Short mmCIF file of all heavy atoms in Angstrom, two decimals:
data_model
loop_
_atom_site.label_atom_id
_atom_site.label_comp_id
_atom_site.label_asym_id
_atom_site.label_seq_id
_atom_site.Cartn_x
_atom_site.Cartn_y
_atom_site.Cartn_z
N VAL A 1335 57.38 9.24 63.35
CA VAL A 1335 57.37 8.33 64.50
C VAL A 1335 58.15 8.96 65.68
O VAL A 1335 57.71 8.91 66.86
CB VAL A 1335 57.97 6.96 64.10
CG1 VAL A 1335 58.21 6.07 65.33
CG2 VAL A 1335 57.07 6.27 63.17
N THR A 1336 59.35 9.50 65.39
CA THR A 1336 60.11 10.14 66.47
C THR A 1336 59.34 11.33 67.04
O THR A 1336 59.39 11.58 68.22
CB THR A 1336 61.47 10.59 65.88
OG1 THR A 1336 62.10 9.47 65.28
CG2 THR A 1336 62.33 11.18 66.96
N LEU A 1337 58.69 12.10 66.16
CA LEU A 1337 57.93 13.22 66.64
C LEU A 1337 56.80 12.80 67.59
O LEU A 1337 56.54 13.47 68.60
CB LEU A 1337 57.33 13.98 65.42
CG LEU A 1337 56.51 15.24 65.72
CD1 LEU A 1337 57.42 16.32 66.38
CD2 LEU A 1337 55.87 15.81 64.45
N LYS A 1338 56.16 11.68 67.29
CA LYS A 1338 55.11 11.21 68.17
C LYS A 1338 55.69 10.79 69.52
O LYS A 1338 55.04 10.98 70.56
CB LYS A 1338 54.44 9.95 67.54
CG LYS A 1338 53.70 10.27 66.22
CD LYS A 1338 52.49 11.12 66.44
CE LYS A 1338 51.71 11.31 65.17
NZ LYS A 1338 50.52 12.24 65.33
N LYS A 1339 56.89 10.25 69.53
CA LYS A 1339 57.53 9.86 70.81
C LYS A 1339 57.90 11.08 71.65
O LYS A 1339 57.85 11.09 72.86
CB LYS A 1339 58.76 9.04 70.52
CG LYS A 1339 58.49 7.67 69.90
CD LYS A 1339 59.76 6.88 69.64
CE LYS A 1339 59.49 5.50 69.04
NZ LYS A 1339 60.76 4.76 68.75
N PHE A 1340 58.28 12.14 70.94
CA PHE A 1340 58.68 13.35 71.66
C PHE A 1340 57.46 14.03 72.35
O PHE A 1340 57.70 14.92 73.20
CB PHE A 1340 59.30 14.38 70.67
CG PHE A 1340 60.72 14.06 70.32
CD1 PHE A 1340 61.42 14.83 69.39
CD2 PHE A 1340 61.39 12.99 70.91
CE1 PHE A 1340 62.73 14.56 69.11
CE2 PHE A 1340 62.70 12.70 70.64
CZ PHE A 1340 63.39 13.50 69.71
N ALA A 1341 56.26 13.59 72.03
CA ALA A 1341 55.10 14.18 72.65
C ALA A 1341 55.02 13.85 74.18
O ALA A 1341 54.31 14.52 74.90
CB ALA A 1341 53.80 13.68 71.99
N TRP A 1342 55.78 12.85 74.57
CA TRP A 1342 55.82 12.49 76.05
C TRP A 1342 56.86 13.26 76.84
O TRP A 1342 56.94 13.19 78.05
CB TRP A 1342 56.10 11.00 76.19
CG TRP A 1342 54.88 10.14 76.08
CD1 TRP A 1342 53.84 9.99 76.99
CD2 TRP A 1342 54.49 9.29 74.98
NE1 TRP A 1342 52.90 9.13 76.55
CE2 TRP A 1342 53.32 8.65 75.30
CE3 TRP A 1342 55.10 8.98 73.75
CZ2 TRP A 1342 52.63 7.75 74.46
CZ3 TRP A 1342 54.47 8.11 72.93
CH2 TRP A 1342 53.25 7.50 73.22
N ILE A 1343 57.72 13.95 76.08
CA ILE A 1343 58.86 14.67 76.78
C ILE A 1343 58.33 16.06 77.28
O ILE A 1343 57.67 16.78 76.58
CB ILE A 1343 60.03 14.90 75.79
CG1 ILE A 1343 60.56 13.52 75.34
CG2 ILE A 1343 61.11 15.67 76.45
CD1 ILE A 1343 61.69 13.63 74.32
N PRO A 1344 58.67 16.42 78.53
CA PRO A 1344 58.25 17.73 79.07
C PRO A 1344 58.84 18.85 78.27
O PRO A 1344 59.89 18.72 77.63
CB PRO A 1344 58.77 17.70 80.52
CG PRO A 1344 59.01 16.27 80.83
CD PRO A 1344 59.41 15.57 79.56
N THR A 1345 58.17 19.95 78.26
CA THR A 1345 58.64 21.17 77.61
C THR A 1345 58.86 22.27 78.61
O THR A 1345 58.17 22.33 79.67
CB THR A 1345 57.64 21.63 76.55
OG1 THR A 1345 56.38 21.90 77.21
CG2 THR A 1345 57.42 20.60 75.46
N LEU A 1346 59.82 23.13 78.37
CA LEU A 1346 60.17 24.24 79.23
C LEU A 1346 60.24 25.49 78.44
O LEU A 1346 60.91 25.52 77.38
CB LEU A 1346 61.52 23.94 79.95
CG LEU A 1346 61.96 24.99 80.96
CD1 LEU A 1346 61.00 25.05 82.13
CD2 LEU A 1346 63.37 24.70 81.42
N GLY A 1347 59.61 26.53 78.94
CA GLY A 1347 59.63 27.80 78.24
C GLY A 1347 59.81 28.98 79.17
O GLY A 1347 59.52 28.88 80.38
N ALA A 1348 60.39 30.05 78.70
CA ALA A 1348 60.62 31.23 79.48
C ALA A 1348 59.71 32.37 78.99
O ALA A 1348 59.38 32.43 77.81
CB ALA A 1348 62.07 31.70 79.40
N SER A 1349 59.33 33.26 79.93
CA SER A 1349 58.43 34.36 79.55
C SER A 1349 58.89 35.60 80.26
O SER A 1349 59.51 35.55 81.36
CB SER A 1349 56.97 34.03 79.89
OG SER A 1349 56.81 33.81 81.29
N PHE A 1350 58.60 36.75 79.68
CA PHE A 1350 58.96 38.05 80.24
C PHE A 1350 57.83 39.01 79.94
O PHE A 1350 57.26 39.02 78.83
CB PHE A 1350 60.26 38.56 79.68
CG PHE A 1350 60.59 39.98 80.04
CD1 PHE A 1350 61.07 40.31 81.28
CD2 PHE A 1350 60.40 41.01 79.14
CE1 PHE A 1350 61.36 41.62 81.64
CE2 PHE A 1350 60.68 42.33 79.46
CZ PHE A 1350 61.16 42.64 80.72
N ASN A 1351 57.53 39.92 80.91
CA ASN A 1351 56.48 40.89 80.67
C ASN A 1351 56.87 42.22 81.30
O ASN A 1351 57.34 42.26 82.41
CB ASN A 1351 55.16 40.34 81.33
CG ASN A 1351 54.02 41.34 81.09
OD1 ASN A 1351 53.85 42.30 81.84
ND2 ASN A 1351 53.25 41.10 80.04
N LEU A 1352 56.61 43.26 80.52
CA LEU A 1352 56.85 44.62 81.00
C LEU A 1352 55.66 45.44 80.61
O LEU A 1352 55.34 45.56 79.41
CB LEU A 1352 58.15 45.22 80.39
CG LEU A 1352 58.46 46.67 80.68
CD1 LEU A 1352 58.62 46.94 82.16
CD2 LEU A 1352 59.63 47.15 79.89
N SER A 1353 54.95 45.98 81.61
CA SER A 1353 53.72 46.71 81.31
C SER A 1353 53.60 47.99 82.15
O SER A 1353 54.26 48.11 83.16
CB SER A 1353 52.48 45.82 81.52
OG SER A 1353 52.43 45.42 82.91
N TRP A 1354 52.75 48.89 81.70
CA TRP A 1354 52.47 50.12 82.43
C TRP A 1354 50.93 50.26 82.52
O TRP A 1354 50.19 50.01 81.57
CB TRP A 1354 52.98 51.33 81.68
CG TRP A 1354 54.48 51.38 81.61
CD1 TRP A 1354 55.31 52.03 82.46
CD2 TRP A 1354 55.32 50.79 80.64
NE1 TRP A 1354 56.63 51.89 82.10
CE2 TRP A 1354 56.66 51.10 80.99
CE3 TRP A 1354 55.12 50.01 79.52
CZ2 TRP A 1354 57.75 50.65 80.24
CZ3 TRP A 1354 56.16 49.55 78.78
CH2 TRP A 1354 57.47 49.90 79.14
N THR A 1355 50.48 50.61 83.76
CA THR A 1355 49.07 50.75 84.04
C THR A 1355 48.75 52.13 84.61
O THR A 1355 49.53 52.67 85.43
CB THR A 1355 48.57 49.66 85.05
OG1 THR A 1355 48.88 48.38 84.52
CG2 THR A 1355 47.06 49.76 85.26
N SER A 1356 47.64 52.67 84.15
CA SER A 1356 47.22 54.00 84.63
C SER A 1356 45.74 53.98 84.96
O SER A 1356 44.95 53.52 84.12
CB SER A 1356 47.54 55.08 83.58
OG SER A 1356 47.03 56.34 84.05
N LEU A 1357 45.35 54.47 86.15
CA LEU A 1357 43.97 54.56 86.56
C LEU A 1357 43.66 56.05 86.84
O LEU A 1357 44.43 56.71 87.55
CB LEU A 1357 43.70 53.74 87.79
CG LEU A 1357 44.07 52.23 87.72
CD1 LEU A 1357 43.88 51.55 89.06
CD2 LEU A 1357 43.19 51.55 86.69
N SER A 1358 42.58 56.56 86.30
CA SER A 1358 42.23 57.97 86.54
C SER A 1358 40.74 58.16 86.39
O SER A 1358 40.03 57.32 85.79
CB SER A 1358 42.98 58.87 85.54
OG SER A 1358 42.55 58.55 84.23
N ASN A 1359 40.29 59.29 86.88
CA ASN A 1359 38.86 59.70 86.75
C ASN A 1359 38.83 60.90 85.87
O ASN A 1359 39.76 61.68 85.71
CB ASN A 1359 38.25 59.99 88.14
CG ASN A 1359 38.14 58.73 88.95
OD1 ASN A 1359 37.77 57.66 88.42
ND2 ASN A 1359 38.50 58.79 90.22
N GLY A 1360 37.63 61.10 85.29
CA GLY A 1360 37.44 62.27 84.43
C GLY A 1360 37.91 62.03 83.03
O GLY A 1360 37.66 60.99 82.43
N SER A 1361 38.63 63.02 82.51
CA SER A 1361 39.06 62.91 81.11
C SER A 1361 40.09 61.80 80.96
O SER A 1361 40.99 61.68 81.79
CB SER A 1361 39.69 64.25 80.66
OG SER A 1361 40.25 64.10 79.35
N PRO A 1362 40.00 60.99 79.88
CA PRO A 1362 40.96 59.90 79.69
C PRO A 1362 42.34 60.37 79.23
O PRO A 1362 43.28 59.61 79.19
CB PRO A 1362 40.32 59.07 78.62
CG PRO A 1362 39.43 59.96 77.82
CD PRO A 1362 38.91 60.97 78.87
N PHE A 1363 42.44 61.63 78.89
CA PHE A 1363 43.75 62.15 78.40
C PHE A 1363 44.40 63.15 79.35
O PHE A 1363 45.35 63.82 79.03
CB PHE A 1363 43.55 62.84 77.03
CG PHE A 1363 42.91 61.94 76.01
CD1 PHE A 1363 41.58 62.12 75.67
CD2 PHE A 1363 43.64 60.90 75.42
CE1 PHE A 1363 41.00 61.28 74.71
CE2 PHE A 1363 43.08 60.07 74.48
CZ PHE A 1363 41.76 60.27 74.10
N ARG A 1364 43.88 63.24 80.54
CA ARG A 1364 44.46 64.17 81.55
C ARG A 1364 44.75 63.44 82.87
O ARG A 1364 44.08 62.47 83.17
CB ARG A 1364 43.52 65.36 81.79
CG ARG A 1364 43.27 66.21 80.57
CD ARG A 1364 42.25 67.30 80.90
NE ARG A 1364 42.79 68.20 81.92
CZ ARG A 1364 42.14 69.19 82.48
NH1 ARG A 1364 40.88 69.46 82.06
NH2 ARG A 1364 42.71 69.96 83.37
N ASN A 1365 45.73 63.93 83.51
CA ASN A 1365 46.10 63.41 84.84
C ASN A 1365 46.45 61.90 84.81
O ASN A 1365 46.01 61.17 85.71
CB ASN A 1365 44.97 63.71 85.86
CG ASN A 1365 44.66 65.14 85.98
OD1 ASN A 1365 45.59 66.00 85.98
ND2 ASN A 1365 43.38 65.50 86.08
N GLN A 1366 47.13 61.48 83.73
CA GLN A 1366 47.49 60.10 83.66
C GLN A 1366 48.84 59.89 84.27
O GLN A 1366 49.79 60.61 84.01
CB GLN A 1366 47.55 59.64 82.19
CG GLN A 1366 46.20 59.76 81.43
CD GLN A 1366 45.10 58.92 82.08
OE1 GLN A 1366 45.44 57.81 82.60
NE2 GLN A 1366 43.88 59.36 82.04
N GLN A 1367 48.94 58.82 85.09
CA GLN A 1367 50.18 58.45 85.72
C GLN A 1367 50.38 56.97 85.51
O GLN A 1367 49.65 56.14 86.12
CB GLN A 1367 50.20 58.79 87.18
CG GLN A 1367 51.56 58.50 87.84
CD GLN A 1367 51.55 58.90 89.34
OE1 GLN A 1367 50.58 59.48 89.83
NE2 GLN A 1367 52.63 58.60 90.02
N PHE A 1368 51.32 56.63 84.63
CA PHE A 1368 51.55 55.20 84.32
C PHE A 1368 52.57 54.59 85.31
O PHE A 1368 53.66 55.14 85.46
CB PHE A 1368 52.10 55.05 82.86
CG PHE A 1368 51.03 55.33 81.86
CD1 PHE A 1368 50.86 56.63 81.33
CD2 PHE A 1368 50.25 54.30 81.37
CE1 PHE A 1368 49.88 56.88 80.40
CE2 PHE A 1368 49.30 54.53 80.43
CZ PHE A 1368 49.10 55.83 79.90
N ASN A 1369 52.18 53.48 85.89
CA ASN A 1369 53.01 52.75 86.85
C ASN A 1369 53.53 51.48 86.22
O ASN A 1369 52.75 50.68 85.70
CB ASN A 1369 52.24 52.43 88.11
CG ASN A 1369 51.77 53.67 88.78
OD1 ASN A 1369 52.50 54.60 89.08
ND2 ASN A 1369 50.38 53.73 89.02
N PRO A 1370 54.82 51.27 86.21
CA PRO A 1370 55.44 50.05 85.61
C PRO A 1370 55.18 48.81 86.42
O PRO A 1370 55.10 48.85 87.67
CB PRO A 1370 56.90 50.41 85.49
CG PRO A 1370 57.14 51.33 86.60
CD PRO A 1370 55.90 52.16 86.81
N TYR A 1371 55.14 47.71 85.67
CA TYR A 1371 55.03 46.39 86.28
C TYR A 1371 55.72 45.40 85.39
O TYR A 1371 55.49 45.36 84.17
CB TYR A 1371 53.55 45.98 86.49
CG TYR A 1371 53.38 44.56 86.92
CD1 TYR A 1371 53.71 44.14 88.21
CD2 TYR A 1371 52.88 43.60 86.05
CE1 TYR A 1371 53.55 42.79 88.61
CE2 TYR A 1371 52.69 42.27 86.42
CZ TYR A 1371 53.02 41.90 87.72
OH TYR A 1371 52.87 40.60 88.12
N SER A 1372 56.55 44.52 85.90
CA SER A 1372 57.31 43.56 85.08
C SER A 1372 57.60 42.30 85.86
O SER A 1372 57.64 42.29 87.08
CB SER A 1372 58.65 44.20 84.58
OG SER A 1372 59.50 44.48 85.68
N TYR A 1373 57.80 41.23 85.07
CA TYR A 1373 58.19 39.95 85.73
C TYR A 1373 58.84 39.06 84.63
O TYR A 1373 58.68 39.28 83.43
CB TYR A 1373 56.97 39.24 86.27
CG TYR A 1373 55.98 38.71 85.24
CD1 TYR A 1373 56.19 37.49 84.58
CD2 TYR A 1373 54.86 39.50 84.87
CE1 TYR A 1373 55.26 37.00 83.67
CE2 TYR A 1373 53.97 39.06 83.93
CZ TYR A 1373 54.22 37.79 83.35
OH TYR A 1373 53.28 37.37 82.36
N VAL A 1374 59.61 38.10 85.09
CA VAL A 1374 60.21 37.09 84.27
C VAL A 1374 59.99 35.72 84.92
O VAL A 1374 60.02 35.64 86.15
CB VAL A 1374 61.75 37.34 84.05
CG1 VAL A 1374 62.48 37.31 85.38
CG2 VAL A 1374 62.34 36.35 83.07
N GLY A 1375 59.73 34.72 84.12
CA GLY A 1375 59.48 33.40 84.70
C GLY A 1375 59.71 32.28 83.74
O GLY A 1375 60.00 32.48 82.54
N VAL A 1376 59.64 31.06 84.21
CA VAL A 1376 59.73 29.87 83.38
C VAL A 1376 58.52 28.99 83.67
O VAL A 1376 57.90 29.05 84.72
CB VAL A 1376 61.05 29.07 83.69
CG1 VAL A 1376 62.23 29.86 83.29
CG2 VAL A 1376 61.10 28.72 85.19
N ALA A 1377 58.15 28.21 82.65
CA ALA A 1377 56.97 27.35 82.77
C ALA A 1377 57.36 25.98 82.27
O ALA A 1377 57.89 25.81 81.19
CB ALA A 1377 55.82 27.93 81.96
N LEU A 1378 57.05 24.98 83.11
CA LEU A 1378 57.33 23.56 82.80
C LEU A 1378 55.99 22.87 82.56
O LEU A 1378 55.05 22.97 83.38
CB LEU A 1378 58.05 22.89 83.94
CG LEU A 1378 58.36 21.40 83.77
CD1 LEU A 1378 59.31 21.14 82.62
CD2 LEU A 1378 58.89 20.83 85.08
N SER A 1379 55.93 22.14 81.45
CA SER A 1379 54.73 21.38 81.12
C SER A 1379 55.11 19.89 80.99
O SER A 1379 55.96 19.54 80.16
CB SER A 1379 54.13 21.91 79.83
OG SER A 1379 53.00 21.12 79.41
N VAL A 1380 54.45 19.08 81.83
CA VAL A 1380 54.77 17.67 81.85
C VAL A 1380 53.51 16.90 81.41
O VAL A 1380 52.51 16.91 82.13
CB VAL A 1380 55.19 17.19 83.24
CG1 VAL A 1380 55.51 15.68 83.24
CG2 VAL A 1380 56.39 17.97 83.70
N PRO A 1381 53.54 16.24 80.25
CA PRO A 1381 52.33 15.45 79.81
C PRO A 1381 52.17 14.21 80.72
O PRO A 1381 53.14 13.48 80.93
CB PRO A 1381 52.66 15.11 78.39
CG PRO A 1381 54.12 15.16 78.28
CD PRO A 1381 54.60 16.22 79.23
N ILE A 1382 50.98 14.01 81.22
CA ILE A 1382 50.74 12.89 82.13
C ILE A 1382 49.73 11.91 81.51
O ILE A 1382 50.00 10.74 81.36
CB ILE A 1382 50.29 13.35 83.50
CG1 ILE A 1382 51.37 14.19 84.15
CG2 ILE A 1382 49.89 12.18 84.39
CD1 ILE A 1382 51.01 14.76 85.49
N PHE A 1383 48.58 12.45 81.15
CA PHE A 1383 47.50 11.56 80.66
C PHE A 1383 46.73 12.31 79.58
O PHE A 1383 46.35 13.50 79.77
CB PHE A 1383 46.60 11.13 81.75
CG PHE A 1383 45.49 10.23 81.31
CD1 PHE A 1383 45.74 8.94 80.92
CD2 PHE A 1383 44.16 10.66 81.24
CE1 PHE A 1383 44.71 8.11 80.45
CE2 PHE A 1383 43.14 9.86 80.82
CZ PHE A 1383 43.42 8.57 80.41
N SER A 1384 46.52 11.69 78.46
CA SER A 1384 45.69 12.28 77.37
C SER A 1384 44.69 11.29 76.79
O SER A 1384 44.34 11.36 75.61
CB SER A 1384 46.62 12.78 76.27
OG SER A 1384 47.38 11.72 75.72
N GLY A 1385 44.30 10.33 77.58
CA GLY A 1385 43.33 9.37 77.11
C GLY A 1385 43.85 8.37 76.11
O GLY A 1385 43.10 7.73 75.37
N GLY A 1386 45.18 8.24 75.97
CA GLY A 1386 45.77 7.29 75.03
C GLY A 1386 45.97 7.86 73.64
O GLY A 1386 46.33 7.13 72.74
N ALA A 1387 45.70 9.15 73.43
CA ALA A 1387 45.82 9.76 72.13
C ALA A 1387 47.24 9.70 71.60
O ALA A 1387 47.49 9.38 70.42
CB ALA A 1387 45.33 11.20 72.15
N LYS A 1388 48.23 9.99 72.48
CA LYS A 1388 49.63 9.95 72.08
C LYS A 1388 50.02 8.54 71.68
O LYS A 1388 50.77 8.28 70.69
CB LYS A 1388 50.51 10.52 73.13
CG LYS A 1388 50.31 11.97 73.46
CD LYS A 1388 51.32 12.44 74.51
CE LYS A 1388 51.11 13.93 74.84
NZ LYS A 1388 49.83 14.15 75.51
N TYR A 1389 49.60 7.57 72.46
CA TYR A 1389 49.98 6.13 72.26
C TYR A 1389 49.49 5.68 70.93
O TYR A 1389 50.23 5.09 70.11
CB TYR A 1389 49.47 5.29 73.41
CG TYR A 1389 49.67 3.85 73.21
CD1 TYR A 1389 50.94 3.27 73.42
CD2 TYR A 1389 48.64 2.99 72.78
CE1 TYR A 1389 51.16 1.89 73.26
CE2 TYR A 1389 48.84 1.64 72.62
CZ TYR A 1389 50.10 1.08 72.84
OH TYR A 1389 50.27 -0.25 72.67
#
Side-chain angles (χ1 to χ4, degrees):
V1335 170
T1336 306
L1337 181 63
K1338 296 293 184 181
K1339 293 179 179 178
F1340 282 177
W1342 276 286
I1343 299 178
T1345 59
L1346 182 66
S1349 60
F1350 171 77
N1351 182 274
L1352 174 61
S1353 61
W1354 293 267
T1355 304
S1356 175
L1357 303 174
S1358 65
N1359 293 318
S1361 174
F1363 303 106
R1364 298 178 62 184
N1365 302 322
Q1366 299 298 329
Q1367 183 177 357
F1368 288 91
N1369 300 306
Y1371 170 72
S1372 63
Y1373 68 84
V1374 63
V1376 293
L1378 177 66
S1379 176
V1380 181
I1382 297 177
F1383 180 71
S1384 60
K1388 296 183 180 66
Y1389 174 77

